[in-house]
Amino acid sequence: MRKCALILLVFLALIGTSAHAQDALSYNGILDDSSDQQTYPVTLKTGDAILITTTAQEDDNLDTVLKLYDPAGRIVAENDDADLLTYDSQITYIAPETGVYKVEVSRYDETTSGHYDLDVTIGMVTIFKYDVTLSGTELTEDTAHFRIHYTLSGVDAVTPTFLDATARAFEDMWQREIVQLGWPIPPGDGLMGGDDLYDVYISDLLGAGEEALGYMQTAAVVGDNPNTDALETYAAASYIVIDNDFHDVEYADGQDAATLMRTTAAHEFHHAIQDGFDALEPDDWLREATSVWMETVAAGKDQDATGYIALAFEYPELCLGTSANDGDVMYGEWTFMTFLTDEFGADAVRQLWDSLIDYDSFDGMGRMLATFDTDVPHEAVRYRLKNLARDYQLAPLFDATVWLEDTITAVGSWTPNGSGVQELGANYFDFAAPSGLYDVSLSGDDGQLQLWAVGLTDHDLEAVALGRGGSIDSSRYSKLYLMVFNPQVEADVNDCSYVEYKIKVLAGKGSPNPVDSTWDSTYFEPLN
C-alpha cells in the first residue's frame, strides 16, 4: 500500500475559551475526472480548535488530500494519509486569528476517484483526542516533554504514587535516550491529545486481557521528521499506552512493579523514536531487538532484557530475525545490537537506523556495514561466535548457553539431531574425540554452509575458520566446539528454510588452520 507524506503545520497560539460550543459540520462529495477538488468555507475565531477528517467510501479507491487555507489564502495545514492503514486524511489546527478559512479536498492523483465524507469539528483542544477510552474521568499531568493521560476511578485507575513514578520514568528516558545518547526527538503529532507534548496513556492493559505491558501506537505518517538532518519519507508521530499497576506479572529477581514499568517506558519510547526514522520498516525484529537493547542502555539495573536470552539461545539454528515462538526469539536477539556497538562503536545502532530510512531490513543493514568494509554474513557469523563465548557484560545474568546440537566423540560422519540450519543461523557441536589432529569437512548441503572450530585456551576462545573443510588440533584446547553456520541471507525472515548437512571427521594429515579471531572467555560456560 502506498503511503505518502503527511505534513502537519501547526500554528500555536494562546488558547482562550471558544466563543461557541463544539460545532460539528458534515459534507459529502465526489472526486473524479470532472471534479478533482472541492472547497468548503469555515468561520473560525481566535483560539478555535478545528479537527477535519475525510473518509472515502469502502467500495471506492479514492485517496484524499486535505488542505486548510487561512483568511489570506495561505496553506496552514495539509495532510494526505491520516495513518499507516488508510488513504483518508486528517488535519488538526488552532486558529491564530478570526476569519473565514477554506477547507480543500482533492485526490492524490488521477488514478483515484470516488465518494467521500468530510467531517469538521470546531471547539476546544479537547476535540484532538486519540482513540483511547479510560474507565473514569480523563485527567492529565504534564511534564517537560510528556502529557500523561490517566484516571483515578474504574479499572484503569492509577494511584498518585504510581502516576508520579510513571511521569518521572518517561522524563528519565527522554533525558537518557534523547539528551545523553543523542537519538532524535520523535515527530510531533500536532495538537492530538490536546497539545504538542508526547502523549502517554495509563490504562489497565493486563486486566483487559492484553499481553503487552505497554505499546507504542503509530498515529500519523508525517513524512520528514523535522527533528533530524536527514530527509525521511515515512517518519510518523505516535503515542504510548502503558499498564496502570503492573500487577499479576511474573517478576524477575530484583524486579517490582516500578522497575518493570521503567524498563517498559525505555522500550516503548524507543519505538516512538524508531517511528521517527521509518514507521514502515517491515522487519519487526529490528524494532524489538533495538528496543530491548535500549532497555539495557537506558533503564540500567531495571532492564528486563536478560530474561529473553534463554529462548533465543535455545534456537540458534533459526534465521536471524525469526518471528518463531510468537516472536519471543527476536526479543532475545537484542544481543546483536550490543554486538554492533562492541564491534563498531557506541553510535552503531543509530547508524543502522539512519540506513533504514532509505533501505529496508538486511539491505539497510548491509549498506550500514559496508561503511565499515564488511557485510551481513561476515558479521552474523561473528555474532554467533560471540554468543558461544557469552562475550557480553551482562552475561552473568543470562542463565543460558547456546543450544548444544550433539557431541562428536570419534572419526566418522555426523549429522544434526534437528533439521539443519536456517539463514544466518548456527549449530554447535561439542568436539570430544580423543586429543589429536583432525580433518573435518562439510557435505550434503550443496556448498551453502561454513564450518568453524572454537577452542578454549587458558586466556580466551580461539575461533578457526575451516570453510568447507580444514584441520584442527584438539590438543591445544581444554574444550573444543564445531560451529556450522549458514551465511545465506533471507530478506523475508518469515520465509526461512533449513539446510541439511553432514560433518565428516577423519584423522588429520595437514597443518591446523590458523586462528581467525579471539573472544573473551570471562563468562564462557561449557555447553550441555
Side-chain angles (χ1 to χ4, degrees), residues 148-398:
I148 312 298
H149 302 255
Y150 67 98
T151 186
L152 296 175
S153 61
V155 296
D156 298 318
V158 62
T159 66
T161 299
F162 203 74
L163 169 66
D164 291 344
T166 302
R168 287 196 306 273
F170 277 97
E171 273 302 323
D172 288 347
M173 298 315 152
W174 181 289
Q175 291 299 315
R176 183 64 176 140
E177 298 181 29
I178 303 294
V179 178
Q180 298 176 16
L181 297 177
W183 286 81
I185 298 171
D189 62 359
L191 298 173
M192 293 303 293
D195 64 4
D196 59 348
L197 296 172
Y198 190 95
D199 295 290
V200 176
Y201 291 82
I202 302 179
S203 176
D204 184 22
L205 294 179
L206 295 173
E210 296 279 354
E211 294 184 1
L213 301 174
Y215 64 86
M216 183 280 302
Q217 179 64 53
T218 300
V221 176
V222 302
D224 179 45
N225 183 355
N227 302 314
T228 73
D229 294 330
L231 181 61
E232 295 84 8
T233 304
Y234 301 118
S238 61
Y239 63 89
I240 290 171
V241 182
I242 192 168
D243 192 64
N244 65 327
D245 54 20
F246 286 75
H247 287 175
D248 301 321
V249 177
E250 184 177 343
Y251 298 117
D253 290 342
Q255 272 190 333
D256 57 21
T259 59
L260 192 53
M261 176 273 292
R262 287 181 59 81
T263 196
T264 302
H267 182 111
E268 300 304 335
F269 184 56
H270 204 268
H271 279 320
I273 292 173
Q274 294 161 19
D275 262 16
F277 289 86
D278 180 11
L280 298 186
E281 167 54 47
D283 268 4
D284 286 342
W285 86 271
L286 289 173
R287 294 179 172 279
E288 298 302 344
T290 301
S291 277
V292 179
W293 164 79
M294 182 53 72
E295 294 178 30
T296 70
V297 178
K301 63 180 177 58
D302 294 332
Q303 61 82 25
D304 191 41
T306 49
Y308 295 109
I309 289 295
L311 191 59
F313 274 22
E314 186 178 353
Y315 295 98
E317 74 277 8
L318 299 182
C319 61
L320 183 61
T322 181
S323 59
N325 293 83
D326 296 324
D328 287 343
V329 173
M330 66 183 175
Y331 284 77
E333 300 288 12
W334 64 265
T335 48
F336 186 80
M337 301 303 164
T338 300
F339 164 79
L340 289 180
T341 61
D342 289 347
E343 292 286 295
F344 305 111
D347 292 333
V349 182
R350 164 65 190 271
Q351 291 170 302
L352 170 61
W353 278 92
D354 283 337
S355 186
L356 293 175
I357 292 173
D358 296 316
Y359 305 98
D360 288 337
S361 187
F362 287 115
D363 185 14
M365 184 185 297
R367 292 172 185 270
M368 171 265 186
L369 292 173
T371 65
F372 296 97
D373 296 323
T374 185
D375 57 27
V376 172
H378 184 264
E379 297 312 316
V381 72
R382 289 177 58 79
Y383 170 62
R384 297 300 184 184
L385 293 169
K386 188 180 182 77
N387 286 354
L388 171 61
R390 294 180 11 126
D391 185 8
Y392 297 98
Q393 185 177 359
L394 291 176
L397 302 178
F398 284 4

Side-chain angles (χ1 to χ4, degrees), residues 90-105:
Q90 186 174 85
I91 283 175
T92 60
Y93 186 71
I94 291 180
E97 59 178 321
T98 298
V100 178
Y101 292 71
K102 183 176 71 174
V103 176
E104 177 186 282
V105 185

